[in-house]
Amino acid sequence: MLDMKTAMFSYFITNVAITLIIMPMWWQNRNQINGLTLMFINFAIQPVGILLILLRDIIPNFWSMTVSNTLIISGLLFFYMGLECFVKKQTSQFHNYLFMILFLGLMTYFTINQPNLSIRNILISIAVIFLSIQCSYLMLYRVDVMLKPVTQNMGIVFLFFVFLSLFRITTLFKPHFLIDYHFFNSPLLQVLFVFAYQLLNFALLFKVILMINRRLFLEIAEQKNTLRVILDTPYDAILLLDKNYTIIDCNKETGRRFNTTRENIIGKNSTDVLPHHVYQTRKKFFDEVFKSGQFCQFEDIRDGRWIDQHVYPVFNKYGVVTKIVVIGRDITDLKNAENALKQSEKKYRQLVEHLNEGVWMIDKDAYTIYANSRIAEILGYTVEEMQGKHLFSFMDEKGIEIAKMNIERRQQGITEQHDFEFRRKDGSLIYTTLETSPIIDDNGNYCGALAAVMDITERKKMEKELLKHQIQLMQSSKMASLGEIATGLAHEINQPLTYISGFIQSLDRDIKKNCLNIDIVKDKLKNSYHQVNRIVDIIQHLRTFGRSDFGSVHHVNIETVLNNTLLLMKERIRLSNINLILNIEAQLQTLLGNATRLEQVFINLFQNSIEAIRKGNRTAEIRVDIYTSQDDQAVIITFADNGIGIEKSNLEKIFEPFFTTKEVGKGTGLGLSIVYGIIKEHHGSITCHSKINEGTTFRITLPIMEKTRETV
C-alpha cells in the first residue's frame, strides 16, 4: 500500500527528472529568453525542498518542515517572477516578499512552538493558491494580445493548481458533509494529492517547453520577416552563392535588376544571368573570398551601370567558407555626381586660381588652410609656403593687435570690408583691402574665415600723391582768397594806423608848444593801444589762415569761426556796400573739426555772394543764420544773398572741380568744389537753392558726433 514517504520519494524523483529535462533548454536559451533562469530556479529548488522533507527523521524539524516548504513556495515565487520577465510585465514584488516572511513565521510557529500538521498543510495550500492566482492572471489577462496564444495554456495549468489546493484545504477542514466518507478521512487522500501535484508539475514542464518553443518559433518568424524586409531593400541587390556560384537565395531587388522575379533566379548559376566578361571579372574576387575567408569590396560595370560590390564569407561550424553573400549597390548616380563635382571643383578652382584677387582661408585657430596663387604672389610666398602658417606670421606687432580684434568680429558672425597692412616675405609692407566673412558650420559654430584680398599699394601711393596735390591746391586757393580780400584788409589796417599817426602828430605838436594834457594823452594812448591790438589780431589771423593746417582736429565753435572769418572779410563787405545780417543762436553746441578749413568754407561763400551782388543792381544784402537742428544732432548754417542767382542748368555742376561762370582768367572753378570736399570730410552736407535775379542760399549741415574725428 502507498504511504506518504513513498509518495514523497516519488515526488522527489519526478522533480529531479523534470529539472534534468529542463536544464539543456535553459542552458541553450538562457541568454536569449528573458526570465528562463528564474523559471529554472523553481525546478531546481523543488527537489531540494522535497529531499529535506524525506530527511525529517534525520535532520531537525525546522529544516525538514519549515525550510523545506519555504523553499518549495519560494521556487513558485521565482517562477512567477520569471513569467513576468518572459512577457515583459515586471512589477514590484514587495507584497510577495511580505507574504513569504509571514509564511516563514507561521510555519516556524506551527512547527516548533505549536506543532500542527493540518495547519501547516493549509498554509502550504494557501501559499500555492496565492502565487498560482497571480501566475494565472498574468498568463491569461496581463499578457499582450500577441503572446496570449503562447501563454494561455500555462494560465489554465495554474488554475488547476488553485482548484487542487482549494480542494485540499476543504478536506483538511473536514466539513460535516465529508465526515461520513471514510475516503476523505484516510491518509491515502493526502498521498493522492501529492501524486496530483506531480502530474501538474509534469503539465507545467510540458507547457513551459511548449511556451518556450512557440516563443522561439515566433521570434524566428519575426526575425525572418525582418530579415526579408531588410533584404528587400530597394537600394541593394543581395545574393547568397555556393562554391559553384549557384544562386541559393536573393532579394527582390536582384530580380528587378535582371528584369525578372527572385523565384526565377534562385537555383540558377551566375553564368546564366551575367554576361561572360562580367562573370569572369567577379569570379576572380569571389574565388579570393572563398580562398582567404576575408571580406572583399570592388566596383565594376554591368549594362552601363556602376555597381559597388561587397562580398562576405559564410563559414560552417568547422570554419570553412561554404557560401558567400554578395551585396551590390548601384552607384551610377553617385559616380555621375562625383564626376560632375570633380568637374565643378576643377572649374571653380581654375576660376579662383586665376582671379585678380587673392583668396585666403583660415581655420578657427587662424592657421592657413587655403591660399590661391594670387594671394601668395601678393605676399611674396609660394602657395606651399603659406599652407599651415599662422595668420600673424604675415604682419607686424601693430597688425597683430588689429587682427585679433578682427578675428573676434568674425567669431561674432560679422562680415565686413576693411584695409590692412601686411608684411611681405622680404619684409616690405604692402597695403591691401579685404572683404572678410566668417565660416560657420551646421551647428552655428565658428570654424574659420574667408577673405578676398586686393593689393592697393599703388592706389595708396596715388592717394597720398593726390592728397599732397589737393593740399597744395587748397593752399593755393587760400592764397588766392587772401589776394582777393587784400584791399579790404588794407582798409581794415589803414584805419587804426591813421588814428595812431594822428595821435603821434598831435602829441608832437603839444610837446613843442609845451601844452601837454596828461589825462588826454592817457586816454589817446589807451585808444592807440586798442588799435594796435586790432592790427595784431588781423595779422595774427592772417598768419593762422595762411598756414597749412590740415591735420588738427579739436572742438570748434561755429560762431567763433564766423567771427574769425569776419576779421578778414568784414571790411571788404562794407566797402562793397553790402548789408550784413547775422542771426546766431545763443550757446551753440561745439563740434569736432578743423577751424581753419571751415573758415575757408565761409570765406569762399562770402566771396561768391559779393561777386554775385556786384553784378546786381539792388540793395545788397548777405544774411547768415546759424542754429541747432530740431533733433540736436547737427548745426545748420545758411548763407543767403540777394544777388543775380544761378541758372537752373548750372545748379547741378557748381560743386564740380573747375566749373565756373566767371570770365576766363578770373576764376579757377575750385572754390565750391573745395567747400564741398571740406563739408564732406566733416560728415556734413551742403545744398544750394537759387533763382535768377532773386538770390542764392547755401545750406550747410554739420553733425555733432564723435565720428567726425575719424576722417577730418
Side-chain angles (χ1 to χ4, degrees):
M1 182 176 178
L2 291 174
D3 59 3
M4 180 58 72
K5 191 168 186 179
T6 302
M8 292 304 296
F9 183 76
S10 172
Y11 198 8
F12 171 73
I13 296 300
T14 300
N15 279 278
V16 170
I18 290 173
T19 304
L20 293 175
I21 292 171
I22 196 70
M23 184 180 290
M25 179 173 281
W26 163 73
W27 183 257
Q28 186 177 0
N29 301 291
R30 68 188 187 282
N31 296 324
Q32 185 177 351
I33 298 179
N34 295 330
L36 185 57
T37 297
L38 291 171
M39 288 186 271
F40 175 75
I41 290 173
N42 167 62
F43 292 114
I45 285 178
Q46 296 288 337
V48 176
I50 297 170
L51 180 61
L52 291 175
I53 294 174
L54 290 172
L55 297 174
R56 67 181 178 180
D57 295 331
I58 301 173
I59 61 177
N61 288 341
F62 174 76
W63 287 94
S64 64
M65 297 180 185
T66 303
V67 175
S68 61
N69 286 293
T70 302
L71 284 174
I72 293 170
I73 300 303
S74 297
L76 188 55
L77 175 58
F78 278 116
F79 194 85
Y80 170 68
M81 293 166 63
L83 290 177
E84 280 197 333
C85 292
F86 181 81
V87 299
K88 299 179 181 179
K89 296 288 183 181
Q90 294 95 323
T91 58
S92 171
Q93 300 299 322
F94 181 72
H95 62 290
N96 286 329
Y97 297 152
L98 287 179
F99 177 80
M100 290 304 302
I101 293 171
L102 179 63
F103 176 81
L104 179 60
L106 291 174
M107 286 296 292
T108 303
Y109 179 79
F110 289 107
T111 299
I112 298 174
N113 302 91
Q114 191 70 34
N116 191 315
L117 178 61
S118 295
I119 293 179
R120 290 200 303 272
N121 287 334
I122 291 171
L123 288 173
I124 293 169
S125 297
I126 290 173
V128 172
I129 292 171
F130 179 74
L131 292 172
S132 295
I133 288 175
Q134 293 185 66
C135 291
S136 181
Y137 183 74
L138 173 65
M139 295 288 98
L140 294 175
Y141 296 102
R142 287 179 56 203
V143 70
D144 292 334
V145 176
M146 293 183 63
L147 280 177
K148 279 188 178 180
V150 178
T151 63
Q152 61 185 3
N153 289 333
M154 178 73 73
I156 293 172
V157 171
F158 278 107
L159 284 179
F160 278 106
F161 271 103
V162 173
F163 294 144
L164 182 61
S165 298
L166 285 172
F167 183 58
R168 188 184 184 197
I169 291 173
T170 302
T171 60
L172 289 172
F173 275 112
K174 295 180 172 54
H176 64 279
F177 60 86
L178 294 178
I179 292 176
D180 297 335
Y181 297 94
H182 176 71
F183 173 76
F184 290 106
N185 296 312
S186 67
L188 180 61
L189 180 62
Q190 298 303 318
V191 174
L192 292 176
F193 274 123
V194 173
F195 281 112
Y197 279 120
Q198 287 185 50
L199 291 174
L200 287 176
N201 273 341
F202 268 116
L204 188 63
L205 170 65
F206 175 74
K207 293 302 178 184
V208 167
I209 294 173
L210 184 63
M211 182 177 70
I212 291 173
N213 285 333
R214 294 191 67 179
R215 176 65 177 271
L216 289 173
F217 175 79
L218 289 175
E219 287 185 354
I220 291 172
E222 183 180 356
Q223 290 175 0
K224 187 175 181 180
N225 291 334
T226 303
L227 183 59
R228 177 54 59 189
V229 171
I230 295 172
L231 289 176
D232 286 336
T233 169
Y235 304 107
D236 299 326
I238 304 174
L239 301 93
L240 180 64
L241 306 178
D242 62 13
K243 281 195 170 184
N244 297 319
Y245 305 121
T246 299
I247 301 172
I248 301 172
D249 197 1
C250 67
N251 64 350
K252 291 181 180 179
E253 175 65 13
T254 304
R256 188 193 66 79
R257 291 191 187 178
F258 288 100
N259 298 317
T260 184
T261 62
R262 61 180 292 270
E263 289 77 13
N264 291 334
I265 294 177
I266 294 174
K268 289 185 178 182
N269 194 274
S270 298
T271 56
D272 299 329
V273 295
L274 290 173
H276 179 71
H277 69 282
V278 175
Y279 172 75
Q280 291 298 326
T281 301
R282 295 185 182 182
K283 185 176 181 298
K284 294 177 184 178
F285 294 101
F286 296 166
D287 289 344
E288 183 63 29
V289 174
F290 273 114
K291 181 179 178 180
S292 66
Q294 299 293 321
F295 160 79
C296 173
Q297 188 267 335
F298 64 94
E299 295 176 0
D300 66 359
I301 300 177
R302 184 179 69 83
D303 298 335
R305 307 290 295 182
W306 278 93
I307 309 297
D308 182 24
Q309 305 283 4
H310 292 245
V311 187
Y312 300 87
V314 178
F315 300 90
N316 63 11
K317 62 181 180 180
Y318 303 109
V320 178
V321 180
T322 58
K323 303 179 186 69
I324 57 173
V325 175
V326 182
I327 302 176
R329 173 163 291 189
D330 189 333
I331 58 170
T332 305
D333 293 340
L334 179 62
K335 281 288 185 180
N336 292 337
E338 286 180 354
N339 290 333
L341 181 60
K342 287 178 181 178
Q343 292 298 321
S344 177
E345 283 183 354
K346 182 179 179 181
K347 180 176 68 175
Y348 284 109
R349 182 173 291 276
Q350 290 175 343
L351 178 64
V352 170
E353 288 297 331
H354 291 86
L355 279 175
N356 194 39
E357 291 183 342
V359 179
W360 196 351
M361 188 183 298
I362 60 172
D363 63 14
K364 63 182 180 66
D365 297 316
Y367 287 95
T368 302
I369 57 177
Y370 177 77
N372 71 347
S373 56
R374 177 56 181 153
I375 184 62
E377 179 187 348
I378 289 173
L379 296 175
Y381 292 85
T382 64
V383 172
E384 292 74 19
E385 287 175 330
M386 288 191 65
Q387 288 293 335
K389 288 182 74 70
H390 200 277
L391 177 66
F392 296 167
S393 303
F394 304 95
M395 56 192 71
D396 56 19
E397 292 298 324
K398 180 182 177 182
I400 290 173
E401 294 303 316
I402 298 173
K404 287 179 179 178
M405 293 186 289
N406 289 337
I407 290 174
E408 288 180 4
R409 293 172 65 80
R410 297 301 86 73
Q411 291 170 346
Q412 296 168 10
I414 299 173
T415 298
E416 62 186 349
Q417 183 177 12
H418 59 88
D419 292 347
F420 199 84
E421 190 176 71
F422 287 105
R423 186 175 294 279
R424 290 169 52 86
K425 185 178 179 179
D426 60 9
S428 62
L429 296 178
I430 185 169
Y431 297 95
T432 63
T433 183
L434 289 82
E435 182 76 36
T436 56
S437 58
I439 301 173
I440 307 298
D441 63 19
D442 294 338
N443 298 319
N445 299 317
Y446 171 79
C447 56
L450 176 67
V453 185
M454 182 176 289
D455 183 357
I456 59 169
T457 305
E458 290 301 319
R459 193 182 81 186
K460 281 285 185 180
K461 291 179 180 178
M462 291 177 64
E463 286 178 354
K464 287 183 178 179
E465 193 67 25
L466 183 63
L467 180 61
K468 178 181 176 182
H469 289 305
Q470 185 180 4
I471 292 172
Q472 291 175 349
L473 193 61
M474 294 181 70
Q475 190 67 17
S476 298
S477 177
K478 286 168 65 174
M479 294 301 102
S481 297
L482 289 176
E484 291 182 12
I485 62 177
T487 303
L489 288 174
H491 247 282
E492 189 73 14
I493 294 173
N494 189 52
Q495 284 183 345
L497 286 177
T498 301
Y499 178 84
I500 294 169
S501 176
F503 167 66
I504 293 173
Q505 292 175 11
S506 174
L507 182 62
D508 180 61
R509 187 175 55 251
D510 290 342
I511 290 172
K512 289 178 179 179
K513 293 181 179 181
N514 197 21
C515 59
L516 281 175
N517 187 323
I518 298 301
D519 292 333
I520 293 174
V521 170
K522 285 181 178 180
D523 184 56
K524 289 188 176 183
L525 277 173
K526 184 177 180 181
N527 288 334
S528 297
Y529 183 73
H530 174 71
Q531 297 299 328
V532 170
N533 284 339
R534 182 180 173 189
I535 295 171
V536 169
D537 286 343
I538 293 171
I539 294 173
Q540 181 64 36
H541 193 66
L542 272 174
R543 293 176 60 192
T544 301
F545 180 73
R547 188 168 57 237
S548 179
D549 180 21
F550 293 96
S552 62
V553 177
H554 46 268
H555 287 278
V556 174
N557 185 296
I558 291 298
E559 184 176 4
T560 302
V561 173
L562 179 62
N563 291 336
N564 289 337
T565 303
L566 292 176
L567 276 175
L568 306 179
M569 294 296 299
K570 193 172 184 180
E571 186 62 20
R572 186 183 176 195
I573 293 170
R574 186 186 68 79
L575 292 174
S576 299
N577 296 317
I578 298 172
N579 183 28
L580 178 63
I581 302 172
L582 301 178
N583 182 22
I584 303 172
E585 182 181 295
Q587 297 180 341
L588 283 170
Q589 293 191 55
T590 59
L591 52 86
L592 285 172
N594 186 298
T596 302
R597 303 191 74 175
L598 291 174
E599 191 175 326
Q600 187 173 358
V601 170
F602 290 179
I603 288 174
N604 283 341
L605 293 178
F606 273 127
Q607 286 179 336
N608 282 351
S609 293
I610 293 170
E611 290 295 326
I613 290 172
R614 279 179 179 175
K615 297 176 183 178
N617 187 16
R618 62 179 68 237
T619 303
E621 180 180 290
I622 297 176
R623 180 184 179 89
V624 180
D625 293 281
I626 305 177
Y627 56 93
T628 305
S629 62
Q630 292 183 354
D631 57 5
D632 292 330
Q633 296 298 310
V635 172
I636 310 297
I637 308 158
T638 62
F639 281 79
D641 64 59
N642 56 356
I644 62 173
I646 303 171
E647 292 184 8
K648 188 175 181 180
S649 59
N650 291 331
L651 277 177
E652 296 179 358
K653 306 175 186 177
I654 59 173
F655 295 115
E656 294 178 4
F658 307 111
F659 176 79
T660 181
T661 58
K662 297 178 181 179
E663 297 176 7
V664 177
K666 293 189 176 182
T668 63
L670 293 173
L672 287 179
S673 68
I674 291 173
V675 167
Y676 181 84
I678 294 172
I679 297 302
K680 285 298 179 183
E681 287 173 359
H682 285 74
H683 292 276
S685 63
I686 180 169
T687 58
C688 177
H689 301 277
S690 182
K691 287 186 178 181
I692 294 296
N693 298 322
E694 290 187 16
T696 302
T697 300
F698 286 91
R699 188 176 190 271
I700 299 172
T701 303
L702 294 175
I704 305 168
M705 54 192 297
E706 283 292 324
K707 185 178 178 183
T708 312
R709 181 186 295 274
E710 299 175 10
T711 303
V712 179

